[in-house]
Amino acid sequence: GESVGLHLPTLSVQEGDNSIINCAYSNSASDYFIWYKQESGKGPQFIIDIRSNMDKRQGQRVTVLLNKTVKHLSLQIAATQPGDSAVYFCAESPYGNNRLAFGKGNQVVVIP
Amino acid sequence: DADVTQTPRNRITKTGKRIMLECSQTKGHDRMYWYRQDPGLGLRLIYYSFDVKDINKGEISDGYSVSRQAQAKFSLSLESAIPNQTALYFCATSGGPSYNEQFFGPGTRLTVL
């Protein structure tokens, strides 16, 4: 079947380098943001989240940065590995009731 | 996530047929969602339910219906399938302390001929 990564912006990264994936969100009232990773043939999996009262949050090898002034969210992956190859989605919560609005996704391809 | 299961995983059907996609969860979450995913379009919300007696339309509910049979079960029906409903369908759940985080099932690939 057709890959969900087809037609998406693609970031090609050398193994071991850092990756930065960017996302512009639409609603200034959004108070919660989340990054998901989707590998081929699987459902999206949670990576990291951040609330609007923070501008940075770190996880294991991942960091999310939030710039509310320009409505921009980024995901940084340190020391990118082949297993990081996937489609990455950002999502925002503009409705205040657990509904999430997803971005279109970014494909990351790690070159060994 | 093995806590959220979807059946069937793949289905091919013909235009006009009625199709039901099933979702079950063992996470004890009260909130469940159905999304469709098309190449280059991300995930779009079809319907969501915050408890057994609560059903809400999402962005693209036309042509779909849902049933929340129990807290753990949420099914999606296509009353009369059409080719542009060919897509990947995902069920998700949320609840508990991290109520904003949604946990996704493995997906159902539906093809309507």
Side-chain angles (χ1 to χ4, degrees):
Chain A
E2 194 173 25
S3 165
V4 296
L6 197 63
H7 309 307
L8 294 177
T10 299
L11 174 68
S12 295
V13 184
Q14 201 71 38
E15 181 178 358
D17 287 352
N18 297 333
S19 304
I20 300 176
I21 308 162
N22 295 302
C23 176
Y25 65 91
S26 57
N27 195 320
S28 56
S30 291
D31 61 357
Y32 175 80
F33 304 87
I34 190 167
W35 280 98
Y36 280 93
K37 171 187 179 183
Q38 187 177 20
E39 296 174 273
S40 182
K42 297 183 179 179
Q45 291 181 296
F46 171 86
I47 302 174
I48 192 167
D49 58 1
I50 188 169
R51 296 206 168 272
S52 58
N53 60 353
M54 303 173 69
D55 53 21
K56 180 178 180 179
R57 190 164 187 229
Q58 288 185 292
Q60 187 177 14
R61 276 203 310 120
V62 294
T63 300
V64 55
L65 298 177
L66 175 62
N67 185 330
K68 295 182 288 293
T69 303
V70 295
K71 292 189 287 186
H72 185 266
L73 194 67
S74 68
L75 177 71
Q76 299 178 359
I77 305 173
T80 311
Q81 302 169 358
D84 295 327
S85 292
V87 175
Y88 290 81
F89 293 97
C90 66
E92 61 179 309
S93 180
Y95 308 105
N97 64 355
N98 300 161
R99 281 181 61 182
L100 294 174
F102 284 82
K104 291 180 171 52
N106 288 271
Q107 174 101 51
V108 171
V109 176
V110 181
I111 304 164
Chain B
D1 190 329
D3 297 322
V4 183
T5 57
Q6 292 183 234
T7 55
R9 293 295 313 278
N10 286 281
R11 181 73 184 266
I12 300 173
T13 191
K14 294 183 179 179
T15 297
K17 294 290 188 182
R18 184 177 188 273
I19 296 297
M20 180 180 287
L21 309 183
E22 313 237 10
C23 177
S24 293
Q25 53 114 345
T26 58
K27 300 188 77 69
H29 288 167
D30 51 359
R31 302 176 185 211
M32 298 186 74
Y33 311 79
W34 274 105
Y35 292 89
R36 71 175 275 174
Q37 186 175 43
D38 299 274
L41 292 180
L43 290 153
R44 293 183 291 166
L45 184 64
I46 306 172
Y47 271 96
Y48 61 103
S49 167
F50 284 172
D51 65 41
V52 174
K53 297 178 183 177
D54 178 74
I55 300 290
N56 303 281
K57 292 183 178 181
E59 304 169 63
I60 52 164
S61 58
D62 287 350
Y64 302 94
S65 62
V66 290
S67 174
R68 185 81 184 268
Q69 302 96 320
Q71 187 192 37
K73 295 184 183 296
F74 192 36
S75 60
L76 175 73
S77 294
L78 287 67
E79 297 301 325
S80 179
I82 56 177
N84 76 2
Q85 291 178 311
T86 293
L88 271 171
Y89 289 85
F90 288 100
C91 174
T93 75
S94 69
S98 301
Y99 61 90
N100 276 304
E101 181 185 344
Q102 293 182 19
F103 296 83
F104 285 81
T108 295
R109 182 174 291 281
L110 177 66
T111 302
V112 184
L113 302 176

